[in-house]
Amino acid sequence: MATVELRFSALPEHVRTARLVAAAVARRAGVDESVLDELRLAVGEACSRAVALHRRNGVDGAVRVALTEQEKRFLIEVADEAGPGGSADGAAAPEDEDALGLAVITGLVEDVEVGNGSEGGVIRMSWPIAPASVPV
């Protein structure tokens, strides 16, 4: 199991980099090309949500993106440090904005879990890894 971890300051301009890194690592892990656009969009939405929570709550901490290649799944975890109020229940975010972002993510990702981490909210997403082709 290989893991790549990306940490970035909660600034909107870093979200694009997180999307690009996630797509590149997913491609290398064997995620099917047909879902890379959805993966990129979901990561962008999750990172944008984390950045917004940090800014809204005045938190200086980093947004963490963990990209993990398992035997049959590619996992992405986006964690914020916005505290318990910035968690999945959306208490610190305008309800409509938070609900819309989560709706976009759940519409793009079949396997998604929104919960709490030690420092704030965590969005866990996963995609199947295509079986490696066996040379003849």
Side-chain angles (χ1 to χ4, degrees), residues 8-99:
F8 63 91
S9 301
L11 298 170
E13 53 266 26
H14 296 310
V15 172
R16 180 175 187 268
T17 302
R19 285 193 322 251
L20 293 172
V21 169
V25 175
R27 180 178 286 120
R28 182 163 185 202
V31 173
D32 193 87
E33 287 286 328
S34 66
V35 297
L36 287 180
D37 284 339
E38 287 87 353
L39 180 145
R40 192 176 4 260
L41 289 169
V43 169
E45 194 63 42
C47 289
S48 293
R49 179 179 180 271
V51 166
L53 288 169
H54 277 238
R55 298 183 86 176
R56 194 173 306 118
N57 293 329
V59 176
D60 290 331
V63 174
R64 182 181 63 83
V65 181
L67 311 162
T68 306
E69 178 185 350
Q70 295 183 328
E71 188 176 327
K72 296 182 180 185
R73 304 289 296 175
F74 182 70
L75 309 172
I76 298 180
E77 182 177 281
V78 178
D80 64 65
E81 294 180 1
S87 64
D89 64 6
E95 206 169 294
D96 292 342
E97 183 181 316
D98 199 44

Side-chain angles (χ1 to χ4, degrees), residues 120-134:
V122 178
I123 297 177
R124 291 178 187 89
M125 305 170 279
S126 76
W127 292 264
I129 292 176
S133 59
V134 178

